[in-house]
Structures are given as C-alpha cells and as structure tokens.
Amino acid sequence: MSVRVRRVYDPAEPEDGVRVLVDRLWPRGLAKDAARVDEWPKAITPSTELRRWYHAGEGSYEEFAERYEAELAADEAAEALDGVRELLRKGDVTLLTASKTPQRSHAAVLTRLLEG
C-alpha cells in the first residue's frame, strides 16, 4: 500500500486508490464531481490560524511542520488521522491538495506521518 500526494486539479488516475482531500477549504474553481474526492477529513487539515500564519511568511516550513504535528496530536485530529491510516492498510491512498508546492505543504507532513 502506498501514499502519494497530487494536486486536486490534476485528473484522477486509476492508481490513485482512495482520494483524500486534505485542505480545509474547497479548492477554488473546482466542481465537486470533477474532483473525484472520496474522503474529506477536515480534522486533519491545518487550522485556519496556522494556515494564515504560514502563508503570511512569518515562519519557516520546519516550524510550520512542528506546529502542524502538534495540532495533529489533538484527539479529533489523531482519530481522523487513524482513519486515513486504516484506509492505507486496505490499499493505496492519494492525498489531494490545492497547494502549488505540495512538497512544502501540510500534505508532505501527512505523508511522512502516514509512511512512518
């Protein structure tokens, strides 16, 4: 079983497995039926405050990742993350994000946690 990250704007592929949207907000300009999202666990998305702080350029990616991991340790987020782990035990999972740089986003943090 594997986890991978793709932009939500890219067309779905057969090898995507379960497609999980990991953004708090629905991607701008994308119709819900076109996105082919199977799961949208908002509890594992970064808080609005953390997202705004990071996008304002107030801190490094490393600090963002630390703060985000702390958010993921909260009960509701940890339970939702366990749900994604369960999906991964059953098959491939693709994390979907609108981020233009998924390798330096919360999706990369989630990938590391799910693979670890």
Side-chain angles (χ1 to χ4, degrees), residues 56-93:
E58 296 180 19
S60 68
Y61 174 74
E62 291 73 21
E63 186 176 357
F64 165 78
E66 287 178 25
R67 289 181 180 199
Y68 181 42
E69 285 186 45
E71 287 186 356
L72 290 170
D75 290 343
E76 184 180 0
E79 185 176 322
L81 189 58
D82 284 343
V84 177
R85 284 188 180 107
E86 184 60 32
L87 292 172
L88 187 56
R89 280 191 276 281
K90 296 176 182 176
D92 296 332
V93 171

Side-chain angles (χ1 to χ4, degrees), residues 19-113:
R19 293 170 51 90
V20 180
L21 180 63
V22 294
D23 291 347
R24 185 168 295 267
L25 304 174
W26 187 261
R28 194 174 299 202
L30 184 64
K32 291 193 178 190
D33 59 333
R36 303 242 345 258
V37 170
D38 298 310
E39 301 284 337
W40 188 13
K42 292 181 185 177
I44 65 169
T45 64
S47 67
T48 300
E49 296 78 19
L50 180 59
R51 185 175 44 81
R52 287 181 179 159
W53 171 84
Y54 183 53
H55 291 296
E58 296 180 19
S60 68
Y61 174 74
E62 291 73 21
E63 186 176 357
F64 165 78
E66 287 178 25
R67 289 181 180 199
Y68 181 42
E69 285 186 45
E71 287 186 356
L72 290 170
D75 290 343
E76 184 180 0
E79 185 176 322
L81 189 58
D82 284 343
V84 177
R85 284 188 180 107
E86 184 60 32
L87 292 172
L88 187 56
R89 280 191 276 281
K90 296 176 182 176
D92 296 332
V93 171
T94 297
L95 304 179
L96 302 170
T97 181
S99 174
K100 292 178 183 174
T101 54
Q103 66 279 8
R104 294 198 50 87
S105 75
H106 63 289
V109 176
L110 286 171
T111 300
R112 182 172 41 80
L113 292 174

